Amino acid sequence: MNDLSGLLSSKDLDNVPKIADLRARLDSRLTDARDALVDISDQAAQRTREVAKAADTYAHEEPWRVVTGAVAAGVLIGYCLSRR
């Protein structure tokens, strides 16, 4: 996006007909794309916080299940690594 913005702001393109219209449309699309990426990033961050909170709540409500799962995963990983 930065490269395209730099290209569009280049004064070398001023000789091309209808370049102002093209610049305006592309700038609008770049702004829309940038806004969409920010929205997606915000949604992903919010969802990550929700999942982390749910995991924290579960770990506090069921600590022995979490410990058992961690031990089982450790044993499985250790077994797989020892077979190499």
Side-chain angles (χ1 to χ4, degrees), residues 10-24:
S10 173
K11 296 300 177 191
D12 296 336
L13 297 175
D14 286 342
N15 298 333
V16 179
K18 298 184 181 182
I19 197 68
D21 183 43
L22 177 63
R23 282 182 177 164

Side-chain angles (χ1 to χ4, degrees), residues 9 25 44 79:
S9 65
R25 287 187 314 194
Y79 175 75

